[in-house]
PDB file of all heavy atoms in Angstrom:
ATOM      1  N   SER A 401     104.382  75.744 125.066  1.00  0.00           N
ATOM      2  CA  SER A 401     104.751  75.844 123.657  1.00  0.00           C
ATOM      3  C   SER A 401     106.150  75.286 123.432  1.00  0.00           C
ATOM      4  O   SER A 401     106.398  74.564 122.457  1.00  0.00           O
ATOM      5  CB  SER A 401     104.692  77.312 123.199  1.00  0.00           C
ATOM      6  OG  SER A 401     103.377  77.818 123.254  1.00  0.00           O
ATOM      7  N   LEU A 402     107.047  75.623 124.344  1.00  0.00           N
ATOM      8  CA  LEU A 402     108.433  75.186 124.202  1.00  0.00           C
ATOM      9  C   LEU A 402     108.536  73.663 124.258  1.00  0.00           C
ATOM     10  O   LEU A 402     109.343  73.054 123.548  1.00  0.00           O
ATOM     11  CB  LEU A 402     109.297  75.820 125.291  1.00  0.00           C
ATOM     12  CG  LEU A 402     110.813  75.786 125.070  1.00  0.00           C
ATOM     13  CD1 LEU A 402     111.186  76.412 123.741  1.00  0.00           C
ATOM     14  CD2 LEU A 402     111.528  76.504 126.212  1.00  0.00           C
ATOM     15  N   LYS A 403     107.703  73.038 125.083  1.00  0.00           N
ATOM     16  CA  LYS A 403     107.692  71.574 125.143  1.00  0.00           C
ATOM     17  C   LYS A 403     107.323  70.977 123.786  1.00  0.00           C
ATOM     18  O   LYS A 403     107.748  69.867 123.445  1.00  0.00           O
ATOM     19  CB  LYS A 403     106.684  71.095 126.189  1.00  0.00           C
ATOM     20  CG  LYS A 403     107.051  71.404 127.633  1.00  0.00           C
ATOM     21  CD  LYS A 403     105.939  70.966 128.573  1.00  0.00           C
ATOM     22  CE  LYS A 403     106.204  71.379 130.002  1.00  0.00           C
ATOM     23  NZ  LYS A 403     105.061  71.020 130.896  1.00  0.00           N
ATOM     24  N   LEU A 404     106.524  71.724 123.022  1.00  0.00           N
ATOM     25  CA  LEU A 404     106.067  71.256 121.712  1.00  0.00           C
ATOM     26  C   LEU A 404     107.030  71.641 120.595  1.00  0.00           C
ATOM     27  O   LEU A 404     106.797  71.307 119.434  1.00  0.00           O
ATOM     28  CB  LEU A 404     104.679  71.843 121.412  1.00  0.00           C
ATOM     29  CG  LEU A 404     103.557  71.462 122.369  1.00  0.00           C
ATOM     30  CD1 LEU A 404     102.335  72.338 122.133  1.00  0.00           C
ATOM     31  CD2 LEU A 404     103.201  69.983 122.199  1.00  0.00           C
ATOM     32  N   GLY A 405     108.097  72.374 120.949  1.00  0.00           N
ATOM     33  CA  GLY A 405     109.059  72.792 119.936  1.00  0.00           C
ATOM     34  C   GLY A 405     108.747  74.129 119.321  1.00  0.00           C
ATOM     35  O   GLY A 405     109.109  74.392 118.169  1.00  0.00           O
ATOM     36  N   LEU A 406     108.085  75.008 120.079  1.00  0.00           N
ATOM     37  CA  LEU A 406     107.719  76.339 119.577  1.00  0.00           C
ATOM     38  C   LEU A 406     108.225  77.392 120.551  1.00  0.00           C
ATOM     39  O   LEU A 406     107.875  77.383 121.734  1.00  0.00           O
ATOM     40  CB  LEU A 406     106.198  76.448 119.438  1.00  0.00           C
ATOM     41  CG  LEU A 406     105.662  77.798 118.945  1.00  0.00           C
ATOM     42  CD1 LEU A 406     106.046  78.034 117.494  1.00  0.00           C
ATOM     43  CD2 LEU A 406     104.139  77.871 119.124  1.00  0.00           C
ATOM     44  N   ASN A 407     109.029  78.295 120.065  1.00  0.00           N
ATOM     45  CA  ASN A 407     109.548  79.379 120.892  1.00  0.00           C
ATOM     46  C   ASN A 407     108.737  80.646 120.634  1.00  0.00           C
ATOM     47  O   ASN A 407     108.690  81.146 119.504  1.00  0.00           O
ATOM     48  CB  ASN A 407     111.016  79.648 120.557  1.00  0.00           C
ATOM     49  CG  ASN A 407     111.641  80.675 121.486  1.00  0.00           C
ATOM     50  OD1 ASN A 407     111.757  80.451 122.683  1.00  0.00           O
ATOM     51  ND2 ASN A 407     112.015  81.823 120.943  1.00  0.00           N
ATOM     52  N   ILE A 408     108.070  81.157 121.674  1.00  0.00           N
ATOM     53  CA  ILE A 408     107.336  82.413 121.592  1.00  0.00           C
ATOM     54  C   ILE A 408     107.714  83.263 122.799  1.00  0.00           C
ATOM     55  O   ILE A 408     108.422  82.804 123.691  1.00  0.00           O
ATOM     56  CB  ILE A 408     105.799  82.198 121.547  1.00  0.00           C
ATOM     57  CG1 ILE A 408     105.343  81.327 122.732  1.00  0.00           C
ATOM     58  CG2 ILE A 408     105.377  81.605 120.216  1.00  0.00           C
ATOM     59  CD1 ILE A 408     103.844  81.173 122.831  1.00  0.00           C
ATOM     60  N   LEU A 409     107.233  84.477 122.833  1.00  0.00           N
ATOM     61  CA  LEU A 409     107.594  85.408 123.894  1.00  0.00           C
ATOM     62  C   LEU A 409     106.344  85.866 124.628  1.00  0.00           C
ATOM     63  O   LEU A 409     105.342  86.221 123.989  1.00  0.00           O
ATOM     64  CB  LEU A 409     108.320  86.616 123.294  1.00  0.00           C
ATOM     65  CG  LEU A 409     108.963  87.610 124.266  1.00  0.00           C
ATOM     66  CD1 LEU A 409     110.143  86.962 124.981  1.00  0.00           C
ATOM     67  CD2 LEU A 409     109.428  88.853 123.517  1.00  0.00           C
ATOM     68  N   GLY A 410     106.395  85.861 125.947  1.00  0.00           N
ATOM     69  CA  GLY A 410     105.287  86.362 126.743  1.00  0.00           C
ATOM     70  C   GLY A 410     105.594  87.737 127.299  1.00  0.00           C
ATOM     71  O   GLY A 410     106.668  88.298 127.051  1.00  0.00           O
ATOM     72  N   ASN A 411     104.642  88.304 128.035  1.00  0.00           N
ATOM     73  CA  ASN A 411     104.907  89.618 128.638  1.00  0.00           C
ATOM     74  C   ASN A 411     106.004  89.488 129.692  1.00  0.00           C
ATOM     75  O   ASN A 411     106.184  88.432 130.296  1.00  0.00           O
ATOM     76  CB  ASN A 411     103.631  90.229 129.221  1.00  0.00           C
ATOM     77  CG  ASN A 411     103.075  89.452 130.394  1.00  0.00           C
ATOM     78  OD1 ASN A 411     103.324  88.265 130.525  1.00  0.00           O
ATOM     79  ND2 ASN A 411     102.318  90.112 131.236  1.00  0.00           N
ATOM     80  N   LEU A 412     106.739  90.549 129.894  1.00  0.00           N
ATOM     81  CA  LEU A 412     107.939  90.497 130.740  1.00  0.00           C
ATOM     82  C   LEU A 412     107.696  91.263 132.039  1.00  0.00           C
ATOM     83  O   LEU A 412     108.088  92.414 132.193  1.00  0.00           O
ATOM     84  CB  LEU A 412     109.128  91.076 129.975  1.00  0.00           C
ATOM     85  CG  LEU A 412     109.432  90.385 128.631  1.00  0.00           C
ATOM     86  CD1 LEU A 412     110.556  91.089 127.907  1.00  0.00           C
ATOM     87  CD2 LEU A 412     109.778  88.916 128.838  1.00  0.00           C
ATOM     88  N   GLY A 413     107.005  90.626 132.967  1.00  0.00           N
ATOM     89  CA  GLY A 413     106.788  91.229 134.269  1.00  0.00           C
ATOM     90  C   GLY A 413     105.504  92.037 134.349  1.00  0.00           C
ATOM     91  O   GLY A 413     104.751  92.167 133.386  1.00  0.00           O
ATOM     92  N   HIS A 414     105.253  92.596 135.524  1.00  0.00           N
ATOM     93  CA  HIS A 414     104.070  93.419 135.756  1.00  0.00           C
ATOM     94  C   HIS A 414     104.347  94.819 135.224  1.00  0.00           C
ATOM     95  O   HIS A 414     105.261  95.501 135.671  1.00  0.00           O
ATOM     96  CB  HIS A 414     103.747  93.482 137.245  1.00  0.00           C
ATOM     97  CG  HIS A 414     102.608  94.387 137.580  1.00  0.00           C
ATOM     98  ND1 HIS A 414     101.332  94.165 137.122  1.00  0.00           N
ATOM     99  CD2 HIS A 414     102.557  95.530 138.303  1.00  0.00           C
ATOM    100  CE1 HIS A 414     100.537  95.123 137.563  1.00  0.00           C
ATOM    101  NE2 HIS A 414     101.255  95.961 138.281  1.00  0.00           N
ATOM    102  N   THR A 415     103.544  95.256 134.273  1.00  0.00           N
ATOM    103  CA  THR A 415     103.877  96.502 133.575  1.00  0.00           C
ATOM    104  C   THR A 415     103.101  97.719 134.057  1.00  0.00           C
ATOM    105  O   THR A 415     103.493  98.847 133.758  1.00  0.00           O
ATOM    106  CB  THR A 415     103.654  96.345 132.055  1.00  0.00           C
ATOM    107  OG1 THR A 415     102.274  96.041 131.803  1.00  0.00           O
ATOM    108  CG2 THR A 415     104.530  95.234 131.504  1.00  0.00           C
ATOM    109  N   GLY A 416     102.000  97.508 134.772  1.00  0.00           N
ATOM    110  CA  GLY A 416     101.258  98.679 135.219  1.00  0.00           C
ATOM    111  C   GLY A 416      99.843  98.364 135.643  1.00  0.00           C
ATOM    112  O   GLY A 416      99.530  97.239 136.064  1.00  0.00           O
ATOM    113  N   GLU A 417      98.978  99.342 135.504  1.00  0.00           N
ATOM    114  CA  GLU A 417      97.599  99.252 135.988  1.00  0.00           C
ATOM    115  C   GLU A 417      96.860  98.060 135.398  1.00  0.00           C
ATOM    116  O   GLU A 417      96.100  97.372 136.074  1.00  0.00           O
ATOM    117  CB  GLU A 417      96.854 100.546 135.652  1.00  0.00           C
ATOM    118  CG  GLU A 417      95.381 100.535 136.018  1.00  0.00           C
ATOM    119  CD  GLU A 417      94.665 101.811 135.604  1.00  0.00           C
ATOM    120  OE1 GLU A 417      95.339 102.743 135.104  1.00  0.00           O
ATOM    121  OE2 GLU A 417      93.426 101.875 135.777  1.00  0.00           O
ATOM    122  N   TYR A 418      97.056  97.823 134.115  1.00  0.00           N
ATOM    123  CA  TYR A 418      96.358  96.730 133.448  1.00  0.00           C
ATOM    124  C   TYR A 418      97.255  95.505 133.391  1.00  0.00           C
ATOM    125  O   TYR A 418      98.379  95.568 132.880  1.00  0.00           O
ATOM    126  CB  TYR A 418      95.942  97.140 132.032  1.00  0.00           C
ATOM    127  CG  TYR A 418      94.971  98.293 132.005  1.00  0.00           C
ATOM    128  CD1 TYR A 418      95.417  99.599 131.786  1.00  0.00           C
ATOM    129  CD2 TYR A 418      93.608  98.087 132.211  1.00  0.00           C
ATOM    130  CE1 TYR A 418      94.531 100.665 131.768  1.00  0.00           C
ATOM    131  CE2 TYR A 418      92.716  99.146 132.193  1.00  0.00           C
ATOM    132  CZ  TYR A 418      93.185 100.429 131.975  1.00  0.00           C
ATOM    133  OH  TYR A 418      92.298 101.478 131.970  1.00  0.00           O
ATOM    134  N   GLN A 419      96.766  94.390 133.917  1.00  0.00           N
ATOM    135  CA  GLN A 419      97.490  93.127 133.820  1.00  0.00           C
ATOM    136  C   GLN A 419      97.246  92.580 132.420  1.00  0.00           C
ATOM    137  O   GLN A 419      96.125  92.213 132.064  1.00  0.00           O
ATOM    138  CB  GLN A 419      96.998  92.145 134.882  1.00  0.00           C
ATOM    139  CG  GLN A 419      97.523  90.734 134.748  1.00  0.00           C
ATOM    140  CD  GLN A 419      99.027  90.634 134.922  1.00  0.00           C
ATOM    141  OE1 GLN A 419      99.680  91.566 135.388  1.00  0.00           O
ATOM    142  NE2 GLN A 419      99.591  89.509 134.526  1.00  0.00           N
ATOM    143  N   VAL A 420      98.294  92.542 131.616  1.00  0.00           N
ATOM    144  CA  VAL A 420      98.169  92.141 130.218  1.00  0.00           C
ATOM    145  C   VAL A 420      98.895  90.822 130.015  1.00  0.00           C
ATOM    146  O   VAL A 420     100.115  90.781 129.876  1.00  0.00           O
ATOM    147  CB  VAL A 420      98.740  93.216 129.266  1.00  0.00           C
ATOM    148  CG1 VAL A 420      98.422  92.849 127.814  1.00  0.00           C
ATOM    149  CG2 VAL A 420      98.182  94.593 129.592  1.00  0.00           C
ATOM    150  N   ASP A 421      98.147  89.728 130.013  1.00  0.00           N
ATOM    151  CA  ASP A 421      98.717  88.414 129.741  1.00  0.00           C
ATOM    152  C   ASP A 421      98.668  88.181 128.238  1.00  0.00           C
ATOM    153  O   ASP A 421      97.587  88.042 127.652  1.00  0.00           O
ATOM    154  CB  ASP A 421      97.900  87.328 130.447  1.00  0.00           C
ATOM    155  CG  ASP A 421      98.460  86.982 131.817  1.00  0.00           C
ATOM    156  OD1 ASP A 421      99.584  86.470 131.867  1.00  0.00           O
ATOM    157  OD2 ASP A 421      97.772  87.243 132.817  1.00  0.00           O
ATOM    158  N   HIS A 422      99.812  88.142 127.616  1.00  0.00           N
ATOM    159  CA  HIS A 422      99.826  87.964 126.165  1.00  0.00           C
ATOM    160  C   HIS A 422     101.053  87.183 125.740  1.00  0.00           C
ATOM    161  O   HIS A 422     102.024  87.053 126.488  1.00  0.00           O
ATOM    162  CB  HIS A 422      99.802  89.324 125.453  1.00  0.00           C
ATOM    163  CG  HIS A 422     101.033  90.150 125.679  1.00  0.00           C
ATOM    164  ND1 HIS A 422     102.223  89.912 125.030  1.00  0.00           N
ATOM    165  CD2 HIS A 422     101.274  91.205 126.498  1.00  0.00           C
ATOM    166  CE1 HIS A 422     103.129  90.786 125.425  1.00  0.00           C
ATOM    167  NE2 HIS A 422     102.587  91.572 126.329  1.00  0.00           N
ATOM    168  N   VAL A 423     101.002  86.667 124.529  1.00  0.00           N
ATOM    169  CA  VAL A 423     102.184  86.087 123.892  1.00  0.00           C
ATOM    170  C   VAL A 423     102.356  86.751 122.536  1.00  0.00           C
ATOM    171  O   VAL A 423     101.381  87.114 121.877  1.00  0.00           O
ATOM    172  CB  VAL A 423     102.078  84.554 123.726  1.00  0.00           C
ATOM    173  CG1 VAL A 423     102.094  83.878 125.085  1.00  0.00           C
ATOM    174  CG2 VAL A 423     100.843  84.157 122.929  1.00  0.00           C
ATOM    175  N   LEU A 424     103.627  86.929 122.149  1.00  0.00           N
ATOM    176  CA  LEU A 424     103.953  87.535 120.868  1.00  0.00           C
ATOM    177  C   LEU A 424     104.253  86.451 119.842  1.00  0.00           C
ATOM    178  O   LEU A 424     104.968  85.486 120.128  1.00  0.00           O
ATOM    179  CB  LEU A 424     105.176  88.442 120.998  1.00  0.00           C
ATOM    180  CG  LEU A 424     104.933  89.929 121.287  1.00  0.00           C
ATOM    181  CD1 LEU A 424     104.199  90.098 122.613  1.00  0.00           C
ATOM    182  CD2 LEU A 424     106.256  90.690 121.309  1.00  0.00           C
ATOM    183  N   VAL A 425     103.699  86.635 118.658  1.00  0.00           N
ATOM    184  CA  VAL A 425     103.991  85.771 117.516  1.00  0.00           C
ATOM    185  C   VAL A 425     104.492  86.678 116.402  1.00  0.00           C
ATOM    186  O   VAL A 425     103.713  87.375 115.758  1.00  0.00           O
ATOM    187  CB  VAL A 425     102.747  84.980 117.055  1.00  0.00           C
ATOM    188  CG1 VAL A 425     103.102  84.063 115.892  1.00  0.00           C
ATOM    189  CG2 VAL A 425     102.151  84.187 118.206  1.00  0.00           C
ATOM    190  N   CYS A 426     105.799  86.694 116.221  1.00  0.00           N
ATOM    191  CA  CYS A 426     106.386  87.583 115.208  1.00  0.00           C
ATOM    192  C   CYS A 426     107.525  86.848 114.512  1.00  0.00           C
ATOM    193  O   CYS A 426     108.694  87.104 114.793  1.00  0.00           O
ATOM    194  CB  CYS A 426     106.844  88.898 115.826  1.00  0.00           C
ATOM    195  SG  CYS A 426     107.501  88.788 117.502  1.00  0.00           S
ATOM    196  N   PRO A 427     107.172  85.926 113.618  1.00  0.00           N
ATOM    197  CA  PRO A 427     108.177  85.094 112.950  1.00  0.00           C
ATOM    198  C   PRO A 427     109.006  85.894 111.946  1.00  0.00           C
ATOM    199  O   PRO A 427     108.666  87.030 111.614  1.00  0.00           O
ATOM    200  CB  PRO A 427     107.329  84.036 112.248  1.00  0.00           C
ATOM    201  CG  PRO A 427     106.017  84.702 112.005  1.00  0.00           C
ATOM    202  CD  PRO A 427     105.806  85.600 113.192  1.00  0.00           C
ATOM    203  N   PRO A 428     110.079  85.307 111.438  1.00  0.00           N
ATOM    204  CA  PRO A 428     110.918  86.001 110.458  1.00  0.00           C
ATOM    205  C   PRO A 428     110.153  86.368 109.194  1.00  0.00           C
ATOM    206  O   PRO A 428     109.140  85.756 108.847  1.00  0.00           O
ATOM    207  CB  PRO A 428     112.014  84.978 110.154  1.00  0.00           C
ATOM    208  CG  PRO A 428     112.063  84.096 111.354  1.00  0.00           C
ATOM    209  CD  PRO A 428     110.652  84.011 111.841  1.00  0.00           C
TER     210      PRO A 428
END
Side-chain angles (χ1 to χ4, degrees):
S401 295
L402 196 55
K403 292 176 186 176
L404 298 168
L406 179 68
N407 186 64
I408 54 175
L409 189 68
N411 66 335
L412 303 176
H414 176 63
T415 61
E417 176 183 356
Y418 297 98
Q419 171 64 14
V420 188
D421 267 295
H422 66 77
V423 293
L424 267 61
V425 182
C426 35

